[in-house]
């Protein structure tokens, strides 16, 4: 028996739309990362980009469980001595780019390296309900119905 290894020419990429309104961030990010890597397909090959193109809309309406909205802190360093900065989830969500929460959550679930960067390029995140990718005819993926814990009511 031979192990199947997908070639880049054999891969068929689909376009998938996910409505993130009311979804829990970590659960959404793990499903999106799995789709981007292609692990949901039987033809999954670790060293080839055989994942789908994923469009996430309503990213500004994602939710966190517990008190993470007030207590979870994101850090970044400016590069200068003592230049560590911190922002809470509440500050980021009320700021100019609330979709970065979803982008960073997915990015940190993908492998680091050239392949991970290519796979991250297949992700498009929009804070509102509109997106400019209607020409690709994306199919809807209902993440809320996959597991009752994926959806969080207020």
């Amino acid at each position: 028996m031979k192990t199947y290894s997908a070639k880049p020419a054999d891969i068929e990429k689909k376009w998938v739309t996910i409505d993130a309104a009311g979804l829990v961030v970590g659960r959404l990010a793990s499903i999106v990362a799995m789709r981007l890597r292609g692990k949901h397909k039987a033809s999954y090959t670790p060293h080839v980009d055989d994942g789908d193109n994923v469009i996430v809309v309503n990213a500004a309406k994602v939710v966190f469980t517990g008190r993470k909205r007030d207590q979870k802190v994101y850090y970044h360093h400016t590069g200068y001595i003592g230049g560590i900065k911190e922002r809470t989830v509440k500050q980021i969500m009320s700021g100019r780019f609330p979709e970065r929460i979803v982008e960073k959550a997915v990015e940190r679930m993908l492998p680091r390296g050239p392949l991970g960067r290519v796979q991250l390029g297949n992700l498009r995140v929009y804070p509102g309900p509109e997106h400019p990718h209607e020409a690709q005819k994306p199919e809807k993926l209902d993440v809320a119905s996959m597991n009752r814990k994926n959806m969080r009511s207020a």
Side-chain angles (χ1 to χ4, degrees):
M1 218 167 169
K2 298 222 180 220
T3 303
Y4 175 75
S5 182
K7 309 286 184 291
D10 303 338
I11 294 164
E12 289 183 30
K13 288 182 161 290
K14 293 192 316 189
W15 284 76
V16 178
T17 306
I18 298 174
D19 187 4
L23 295 179
V24 177
V25 174
R27 290 175 167 273
L28 169 67
S30 65
I31 290 168
V32 171
M34 184 183 70
R35 285 271 168 174
L36 288 173
R37 290 204 65 196
K39 287 190 144 192
H40 63 290
K41 297 180 180 178
S43 64
Y44 170 70
T45 307
H47 63 278
V48 177
D49 174 26
D50 60 349
D52 294 337
N53 291 289
V54 180
I55 304 163
V56 179
V57 294
N58 289 322
K61 297 179 183 173
V62 293
V63 294
F64 286 83
T65 57
R67 296 178 59 197
K68 291 188 193 102
R69 191 169 179 85
D70 300 316
Q71 293 178 343
K72 184 171 177 63
V73 179
Y74 286 96
Y75 296 98
H76 77 276
H77 201 281
T78 62
Y80 289 95
I81 297 169
I84 192 140
K85 304 285 183 182
E86 62 180 42
R87 293 178 74 193
T88 62
V89 171
K90 189 183 239 179
Q91 290 171 326
I92 295 172
M93 293 300 274
S94 64
R96 196 166 155 203
F97 302 105
E99 68 271 15
R100 286 189 183 159
I101 292 277
V102 176
E103 287 172 4
K104 283 293 179 189
V106 173
E107 179 184 337
R108 290 167 181 168
M109 291 185 185
L110 291 175
R112 280 84 178 146
L115 182 61
R117 287 189 289 274
V118 169
Q119 289 169 343
L120 189 65
N122 295 329
L123 173 67
R124 282 114 179 135
V125 184
Y126 299 100
E130 295 89 29
H131 65 85
H133 306 287
E134 288 302 325
Q136 281 74 29
K137 298 182 182 71
E139 43 183 74
K140 285 187 134 353
L141 180 67
D142 191 14
V143 175
S145 66
M146 289 180 177
N147 188 333
R148 65 181 181 83
K149 292 182 178 180
N150 290 350
M151 192 77 171
R152 185 78 173 187
S153 56

